[in-house]
Amino acid sequence: MIGRFAPSPTGPLHFGSLVAALASYLEVKSIKNSQGLWLVRMEDLDKPRETKGAADDILRTLEAFGFAWDGAIMYQSQRTEAYEDALEKLKANTYSCTCSRREIADSALQGIDGLIYSGICRAKANPNINQQHAIRIKVLDRNISFNDAIQGNISQNLARDIGDFVLKRADNIFAYQLAAVVDDDAQAVTHIVRGADLLNSTPRQIYLQQLLGYAQTDYMHLPIAINSQGEKLSKQTLAKPIVAKNAPELIVKALQFLGQSPPHQLLSSSIDEIFAWAKQNWQGALVPKKIA
Ligand SMILES: [Zn+2]
């Protein structure tokens, strides 16, 4: 089993990131799966959105919280060639889109994850590609289904729910959907464990895996950590960074969040003792779908 944790260096780790790191780690490192590898990938494609020093800060925080990753860190900013190759392989199914934001907004319907692009450029024989343009992939009017370890059976029709989606943006930045799929394959990831905010992205990623001839991965989408206002913890909602001096308490809290029942005395234990308990007792089947 190969799992991974893939943070974006847009800010420090918060409780929601700790939950994702811990669950992805325990899924491949618990006693029953002790042969597993846990990889870390830095999703630093969007340089303008990056916070200086955040990538190193994230790695130091992971270490301080007792995580040890296998192999070298993969940095998406160094993977442009691999994404270009994948784009080339997908060429028969892609097209250039010269639409402005305004044109897209005027013609699109609201979908389950943003606007559904109406496909204006799909029909253009010779789009003006000297102009700034994005690359989109043609989607099909059929269901893509998968069985998520926590969320159950998920089905989406990309044509109806999403529309032809972007693989490379007009500013030449590769889209998250393509980069994640190419990297998961390159890293031979078998178990993707991440927040349920990415559940809607998964059928797009499965579609790309199919077109690129990659193996399909297993999925586990975790409940989302929210603040007292009911907002998802993120940099945008000003989630508090996690700090090393509270590591034991926060790891125990994350285990509880994930439906596990760590004994009370773990709160006064060392990080090593907490990880030892967690590896011994981890049960992925106990993770709740949602936080009530
Ligand atoms: Zn267009």
mmCIF file of all heavy atoms in Angstrom, residues 257-292:
data_model
loop_
_atom_site.group_PDB
_atom_site.id
_atom_site.type_symbol
_atom_site.label_atom_id
_atom_site.label_comp_id
_atom_site.label_asym_id
_atom_site.label_seq_id
_atom_site.Cartn_x
_atom_site.Cartn_y
_atom_site.Cartn_z
ATOM 1 N N PHE A 257 -11.606 12.940 16.356
ATOM 2 C CA PHE A 257 -12.318 13.466 15.191
ATOM 3 C C PHE A 257 -12.521 12.362 14.152
ATOM 4 O O PHE A 257 -13.537 12.308 13.462
ATOM 5 C CB PHE A 257 -11.508 14.620 14.594
ATOM 6 C CG PHE A 257 -12.129 15.273 13.398
ATOM 7 C CD1 PHE A 257 -12.960 16.382 13.539
ATOM 8 C CD2 PHE A 257 -11.878 14.798 12.110
ATOM 9 C CE1 PHE A 257 -13.542 16.979 12.433
ATOM 10 C CE2 PHE A 257 -12.457 15.392 10.993
ATOM 11 C CZ PHE A 257 -13.291 16.489 11.161
ATOM 12 N N LEU A 258 -11.532 11.461 14.063
ATOM 13 C CA LEU A 258 -11.573 10.377 13.080
ATOM 14 C C LEU A 258 -12.300 9.137 13.617
ATOM 15 O O LEU A 258 -12.182 8.049 13.050
ATOM 16 C CB LEU A 258 -10.143 10.015 12.648
ATOM 17 C CG LEU A 258 -9.454 11.086 11.780
ATOM 18 C CD1 LEU A 258 -7.943 10.870 11.732
ATOM 19 C CD2 LEU A 258 -10.039 11.083 10.362
ATOM 20 N N GLY A 259 -13.051 9.303 14.697
ATOM 21 C CA GLY A 259 -13.900 8.216 15.192
ATOM 22 C C GLY A 259 -13.188 7.163 16.024
ATOM 23 O O GLY A 259 -13.781 6.149 16.377
ATOM 24 N N GLN A 260 -11.917 7.404 16.348
ATOM 25 C CA GLN A 260 -11.170 6.445 17.161
ATOM 26 C C GLN A 260 -11.409 6.798 18.638
ATOM 27 O O GLN A 260 -11.893 7.885 18.959
ATOM 28 C CB GLN A 260 -9.677 6.499 16.819
ATOM 29 C CG GLN A 260 -9.364 6.551 15.320
ATOM 30 C CD GLN A 260 -9.833 5.319 14.565
ATOM 31 O OE1 GLN A 260 -9.457 4.189 14.889
ATOM 32 N NE2 GLN A 260 -10.684 5.499 13.548
ATOM 33 N N SER A 261 -11.063 5.869 19.524
ATOM 34 C CA SER A 261 -11.283 6.108 20.959
ATOM 35 C C SER A 261 -9.984 6.028 21.750
ATOM 36 O O SER A 261 -9.764 5.073 22.496
ATOM 37 C CB SER A 261 -12.285 5.088 21.505
ATOM 38 O OG SER A 261 -13.462 5.119 20.744
ATOM 39 N N PRO A 262 -9.121 7.034 21.586
ATOM 40 C CA PRO A 262 -7.861 7.004 22.335
ATOM 41 C C PRO A 262 -8.137 7.112 23.844
ATOM 42 O O PRO A 262 -8.985 7.909 24.242
ATOM 43 C CB PRO A 262 -7.104 8.238 21.823
ATOM 44 C CG PRO A 262 -8.158 9.129 21.242
ATOM 45 C CD PRO A 262 -9.253 8.238 20.762
ATOM 46 N N PRO A 263 -7.471 6.306 24.674
ATOM 47 C CA PRO A 263 -7.694 6.389 26.116
ATOM 48 C C PRO A 263 -7.233 7.741 26.664
ATOM 49 O O PRO A 263 -6.313 8.363 26.120
ATOM 50 C CB PRO A 263 -6.849 5.246 26.679
ATOM 51 C CG PRO A 263 -5.852 4.942 25.623
ATOM 52 C CD PRO A 263 -6.474 5.292 24.317
ATOM 53 N N HIS A 264 -7.877 8.159 27.733
ATOM 54 C CA HIS A 264 -7.623 9.474 28.305
ATOM 55 C C HIS A 264 -6.163 9.721 28.662
ATOM 56 O O HIS A 264 -5.647 10.822 28.473
ATOM 57 C CB HIS A 264 -8.507 9.670 29.538
ATOM 58 C CG HIS A 264 -9.093 11.034 29.571
ATOM 59 N ND1 HIS A 264 -10.095 11.432 28.717
ATOM 60 C CD2 HIS A 264 -8.776 12.118 30.325
ATOM 61 C CE1 HIS A 264 -10.390 12.680 28.943
ATOM 62 N NE2 HIS A 264 -9.604 13.130 29.908
ATOM 63 N N GLN A 265 -5.508 8.685 29.152
ATOM 64 C CA GLN A 265 -4.126 8.883 29.626
ATOM 65 C C GLN A 265 -3.162 9.229 28.488
ATOM 66 O O GLN A 265 -2.065 9.718 28.732
ATOM 67 C CB GLN A 265 -3.613 7.663 30.439
ATOM 68 C CG GLN A 265 -3.526 6.367 29.667
ATOM 69 C CD GLN A 265 -4.791 5.516 29.833
ATOM 70 O OE1 GLN A 265 -5.897 6.050 30.022
ATOM 71 N NE2 GLN A 265 -4.646 4.200 29.753
ATOM 72 N N LEU A 266 -3.595 9.012 27.220
ATOM 73 C CA LEU A 266 -2.718 9.376 26.093
ATOM 74 C C LEU A 266 -2.441 10.881 26.065
ATOM 75 O O LEU A 266 -1.425 11.331 25.540
ATOM 76 C CB LEU A 266 -3.341 8.964 24.760
ATOM 77 C CG LEU A 266 -3.096 7.542 24.244
ATOM 78 C CD1 LEU A 266 -3.608 7.432 22.827
ATOM 79 C CD2 LEU A 266 -1.624 7.143 24.305
ATOM 80 N N LEU A 267 -3.371 11.656 26.624
ATOM 81 C CA LEU A 267 -3.188 13.110 26.643
ATOM 82 C C LEU A 267 -1.919 13.526 27.366
ATOM 83 O O LEU A 267 -1.327 14.554 27.069
ATOM 84 C CB LEU A 267 -4.398 13.788 27.306
ATOM 85 C CG LEU A 267 -5.620 13.958 26.405
ATOM 86 C CD1 LEU A 267 -6.811 14.436 27.211
ATOM 87 C CD2 LEU A 267 -5.311 14.945 25.282
ATOM 88 N N SER A 268 -1.487 12.716 28.325
ATOM 89 C CA SER A 268 -0.245 13.046 29.035
ATOM 90 C C SER A 268 0.912 12.160 28.571
ATOM 91 O O SER A 268 1.921 12.023 29.253
ATOM 92 C CB SER A 268 -0.459 12.928 30.545
ATOM 93 O OG SER A 268 -1.120 11.723 30.848
ATOM 94 N N SER A 269 0.757 11.545 27.392
ATOM 95 C CA SER A 269 1.814 10.670 26.869
ATOM 96 C C SER A 269 2.683 11.422 25.861
ATOM 97 O O SER A 269 2.342 12.516 25.424
ATOM 98 C CB SER A 269 1.201 9.458 26.175
ATOM 99 O OG SER A 269 0.347 8.776 27.058
ATOM 100 N N SER A 270 3.773 10.790 25.478
ATOM 101 C CA SER A 270 4.645 11.389 24.465
ATOM 102 C C SER A 270 4.050 11.146 23.073
ATOM 103 O O SER A 270 3.177 10.282 22.902
ATOM 104 C CB SER A 270 6.030 10.752 24.536
ATOM 105 O OG SER A 270 5.939 9.404 24.107
ATOM 106 N N ILE A 271 4.550 11.879 22.095
ATOM 107 C CA ILE A 271 4.084 11.685 20.716
ATOM 108 C C ILE A 271 4.337 10.247 20.267
ATOM 109 O O ILE A 271 3.484 9.627 19.633
ATOM 110 C CB ILE A 271 4.793 12.682 19.766
ATOM 111 C CG1 ILE A 271 4.383 14.114 20.100
ATOM 112 C CG2 ILE A 271 4.458 12.383 18.321
ATOM 113 C CD1 ILE A 271 5.120 15.152 19.287
ATOM 114 N N ASP A 272 5.508 9.703 20.618
ATOM 115 C CA ASP A 272 5.828 8.323 20.227
ATOM 116 C C ASP A 272 4.810 7.334 20.774
ATOM 117 O O ASP A 272 4.389 6.405 20.079
ATOM 118 C CB ASP A 272 7.227 7.932 20.734
ATOM 119 C CG ASP A 272 8.327 8.569 19.897
ATOM 120 O OD1 ASP A 272 8.004 9.199 18.861
ATOM 121 O OD2 ASP A 272 9.504 8.439 20.283
ATOM 122 N N GLU A 273 4.423 7.552 22.030
ATOM 123 C CA GLU A 273 3.439 6.646 22.646
ATOM 124 C C GLU A 273 2.079 6.783 21.974
ATOM 125 O O GLU A 273 1.372 5.802 21.765
ATOM 126 C CB GLU A 273 3.318 6.931 24.152
ATOM 127 C CG GLU A 273 4.539 6.453 24.933
ATOM 128 C CD GLU A 273 4.623 7.048 26.347
ATOM 129 O OE1 GLU A 273 4.104 8.162 26.580
ATOM 130 O OE2 GLU A 273 5.217 6.388 27.206
ATOM 131 N N ILE A 274 1.733 7.999 21.619
ATOM 132 C CA ILE A 274 0.435 8.209 20.956
ATOM 133 C C ILE A 274 0.423 7.527 19.585
ATOM 134 O O ILE A 274 -0.516 6.833 19.220
ATOM 135 C CB ILE A 274 0.120 9.719 20.816
ATOM 136 C CG1 ILE A 274 0.013 10.350 22.204
ATOM 137 C CG2 ILE A 274 -1.170 9.930 20.031
ATOM 138 C CD1 ILE A 274 -0.075 11.872 22.190
ATOM 139 N N PHE A 275 1.516 7.698 18.826
ATOM 140 C CA PHE A 275 1.601 7.044 17.511
ATOM 141 C C PHE A 275 1.584 5.526 17.655
ATOM 142 O O PHE A 275 0.970 4.828 16.846
ATOM 143 C CB PHE A 275 2.845 7.512 16.745
ATOM 144 C CG PHE A 275 2.563 8.671 15.826
ATOM 145 C CD1 PHE A 275 2.765 9.976 16.238
ATOM 146 C CD2 PHE A 275 2.066 8.453 14.549
ATOM 147 C CE1 PHE A 275 2.488 11.053 15.397
ATOM 148 C CE2 PHE A 275 1.782 9.521 13.690
ATOM 149 C CZ PHE A 275 1.997 10.822 14.122
ATOM 150 N N ALA A 276 2.265 5.013 18.692
ATOM 151 C CA ALA A 276 2.284 3.560 18.899
ATOM 152 C C ALA A 276 0.859 3.061 19.148
ATOM 153 O O ALA A 276 0.422 2.061 18.556
ATOM 154 C CB ALA A 276 3.195 3.203 20.075
ATOM 155 N N TRP A 277 0.121 3.785 19.995
ATOM 156 C CA TRP A 277 -1.270 3.391 20.254
ATOM 157 C C TRP A 277 -2.077 3.457 18.950
ATOM 158 O O TRP A 277 -2.841 2.534 18.629
ATOM 159 C CB TRP A 277 -1.915 4.307 21.314
ATOM 160 C CG TRP A 277 -3.334 3.887 21.599
ATOM 161 C CD1 TRP A 277 -3.751 2.989 22.549
ATOM 162 C CD2 TRP A 277 -4.511 4.300 20.872
ATOM 163 N NE1 TRP A 277 -5.119 2.818 22.459
ATOM 164 C CE2 TRP A 277 -5.617 3.611 21.437
ATOM 165 C CE3 TRP A 277 -4.744 5.171 19.810
ATOM 166 C CZ2 TRP A 277 -6.924 3.773 20.974
ATOM 167 C CZ3 TRP A 277 -6.050 5.322 19.335
ATOM 168 C CH2 TRP A 277 -7.127 4.634 19.917
ATOM 169 N N ALA A 278 -1.902 4.554 18.215
ATOM 170 C CA ALA A 278 -2.700 4.767 16.999
ATOM 171 C C ALA A 278 -2.429 3.680 15.952
ATOM 172 O O ALA A 278 -3.353 3.168 15.311
ATOM 173 C CB ALA A 278 -2.420 6.151 16.429
ATOM 174 N N LYS A 279 -1.163 3.311 15.777
ATOM 175 C CA LYS A 279 -0.827 2.264 14.801
ATOM 176 C C LYS A 279 -1.421 0.924 15.220
ATOM 177 O O LYS A 279 -1.838 0.126 14.377
ATOM 178 C CB LYS A 279 0.690 2.119 14.682
ATOM 179 C CG LYS A 279 1.351 3.234 13.885
ATOM 180 C CD LYS A 279 2.841 2.952 13.846
ATOM 181 C CE LYS A 279 3.598 3.924 12.987
ATOM 182 N NZ LYS A 279 5.043 3.596 12.974
ATOM 183 N N GLN A 280 -1.437 0.681 16.514
ATOM 184 C CA GLN A 280 -1.965 -0.580 17.043
ATOM 185 C C GLN A 280 -3.488 -0.642 16.892
ATOM 186 O O GLN A 280 -4.053 -1.699 16.630
ATOM 187 C CB GLN A 280 -1.594 -0.663 18.530
ATOM 188 C CG GLN A 280 -1.776 -2.036 19.152
ATOM 189 C CD GLN A 280 -0.680 -2.994 18.704
ATOM 190 O OE1 GLN A 280 0.499 -2.683 18.802
ATOM 191 N NE2 GLN A 280 -1.073 -4.150 18.193
ATOM 192 N N ASN A 281 -4.148 0.494 17.053
ATOM 193 C CA ASN A 281 -5.611 0.487 17.203
ATOM 194 C C ASN A 281 -6.393 1.130 16.058
ATOM 195 O O ASN A 281 -7.618 1.177 16.106
ATOM 196 C CB ASN A 281 -5.992 1.201 18.508
ATOM 197 C CG ASN A 281 -5.520 0.430 19.728
ATOM 198 O OD1 ASN A 281 -6.114 -0.566 20.115
ATOM 199 N ND2 ASN A 281 -4.400 0.867 20.295
ATOM 200 N N TRP A 282 -5.714 1.619 15.056
ATOM 201 C CA TRP A 282 -6.401 2.333 13.970
ATOM 202 C C TRP A 282 -7.449 1.464 13.272
ATOM 203 O O TRP A 282 -7.177 0.329 12.876
ATOM 204 C CB TRP A 282 -5.394 2.821 12.943
ATOM 205 C CG TRP A 282 -6.021 3.388 11.695
ATOM 206 C CD1 TRP A 282 -6.055 2.801 10.455
ATOM 207 C CD2 TRP A 282 -6.692 4.647 11.570
ATOM 208 N NE1 TRP A 282 -6.703 3.626 9.568
ATOM 209 C CE2 TRP A 282 -7.112 4.764 10.227
ATOM 210 C CE3 TRP A 282 -6.989 5.685 12.460
ATOM 211 C CZ2 TRP A 282 -7.805 5.875 9.754
ATOM 212 C CZ3 TRP A 282 -7.680 6.794 11.982
ATOM 213 C CH2 TRP A 282 -8.076 6.880 10.645
ATOM 214 N N GLN A 283 -8.643 2.009 13.151
ATOM 215 C CA GLN A 283 -9.702 1.330 12.399
ATOM 216 C C GLN A 283 -10.354 2.336 11.452
ATOM 217 O O GLN A 283 -11.181 3.144 11.861
ATOM 218 C CB GLN A 283 -10.768 0.792 13.350
ATOM 219 C CG GLN A 283 -10.319 -0.450 14.113
ATOM 220 C CD GLN A 283 -11.460 -0.988 14.956
ATOM 221 O OE1 GLN A 283 -11.697 -0.530 16.055
ATOM 222 N NE2 GLN A 283 -12.176 -1.945 14.430
ATOM 223 N N GLY A 284 -9.963 2.244 10.194
ATOM 224 C CA GLY A 284 -10.495 3.161 9.188
ATOM 225 C C GLY A 284 -12.014 3.102 9.097
ATOM 226 O O GLY A 284 -12.673 4.097 8.805
ATOM 227 N N ALA A 285 -12.573 1.932 9.389
ATOM 228 C CA ALA A 285 -14.026 1.756 9.264
ATOM 229 C C ALA A 285 -14.806 2.598 10.271
ATOM 230 O O ALA A 285 -16.009 2.804 10.122
ATOM 231 C CB ALA A 285 -14.379 0.273 9.439
ATOM 232 N N LEU A 286 -14.124 3.102 11.309
ATOM 233 C CA LEU A 286 -14.815 3.905 12.322
ATOM 234 C C LEU A 286 -14.895 5.395 11.981
ATOM 235 O O LEU A 286 -15.578 6.160 12.651
ATOM 236 C CB LEU A 286 -14.114 3.756 13.684
ATOM 237 C CG LEU A 286 -14.147 2.374 14.331
ATOM 238 C CD1 LEU A 286 -13.366 2.378 15.639
ATOM 239 C CD2 LEU A 286 -15.596 1.943 14.577
ATOM 240 N N VAL A 287 -14.209 5.808 10.925
ATOM 241 C CA VAL A 287 -14.214 7.230 10.569
ATOM 242 C C VAL A 287 -15.621 7.633 10.128
ATOM 243 O O VAL A 287 -16.204 6.976 9.258
ATOM 244 C CB VAL A 287 -13.200 7.535 9.441
ATOM 245 C CG1 VAL A 287 -13.213 9.022 9.073
ATOM 246 C CG2 VAL A 287 -11.796 7.100 9.848
ATOM 247 N N PRO A 288 -16.194 8.691 10.730
ATOM 248 C CA PRO A 288 -17.566 9.082 10.352
ATOM 249 C C PRO A 288 -17.599 9.774 8.985
ATOM 250 O O PRO A 288 -16.595 10.332 8.547
ATOM 251 C CB PRO A 288 -17.969 10.055 11.461
ATOM 252 C CG PRO A 288 -16.671 10.629 11.941
ATOM 253 C CD PRO A 288 -15.632 9.562 11.775
ATOM 254 N N LYS A 289 -18.763 9.721 8.339
ATOM 255 C CA LYS A 289 -18.921 10.400 7.045
ATOM 256 C C LYS A 289 -18.834 11.901 7.196
ATOM 257 O O LYS A 289 -18.303 12.612 6.366
ATOM 258 C CB LYS A 289 -20.334 10.097 6.496
ATOM 259 C CG LYS A 289 -20.415 8.861 5.656
ATOM 260 C CD LYS A 289 -21.786 8.845 4.994
ATOM 261 C CE LYS A 289 -21.868 7.664 4.057
ATOM 262 N NZ LYS A 289 -23.089 7.644 3.260
ATOM 263 N N LYS A 290 -19.445 12.372 8.272
ATOM 264 C CA LYS A 290 -19.568 13.815 8.494
ATOM 265 C C LYS A 290 -19.429 14.083 9.968
ATOM 266 O O LYS A 290 -19.705 13.197 10.768
ATOM 267 C CB LYS A 290 -20.997 14.250 8.134
ATOM 268 C CG LYS A 290 -21.172 14.735 6.762
ATOM 269 C CD LYS A 290 -22.562 15.332 6.618
ATOM 270 C CE LYS A 290 -22.834 15.492 5.131
ATOM 271 N NZ LYS A 290 -24.205 15.457 4.785
ATOM 272 N N ILE A 291 -19.066 15.303 10.297
ATOM 273 C CA ILE A 291 -19.055 15.672 11.702
ATOM 274 C C ILE A 291 -20.419 16.302 12.009
ATOM 275 O O ILE A 291 -20.826 17.264 11.363
ATOM 276 C CB ILE A 291 -17.896 16.658 11.989
ATOM 277 C CG1 ILE A 291 -16.568 15.956 11.717
ATOM 278 C CG2 ILE A 291 -17.950 17.177 13.402
ATOM 279 C CD1 ILE A 291 -16.341 14.625 12.411
ATOM 280 N N ALA A 292 -21.100 15.730 12.985
ATOM 281 C CA ALA A 292 -22.474 16.203 13.296
ATOM 282 C C ALA A 292 -22.419 17.601 13.899
ATOM 283 O O ALA A 292 -21.477 17.960 14.548
ATOM 284 C CB ALA A 292 -23.128 15.233 14.252
#
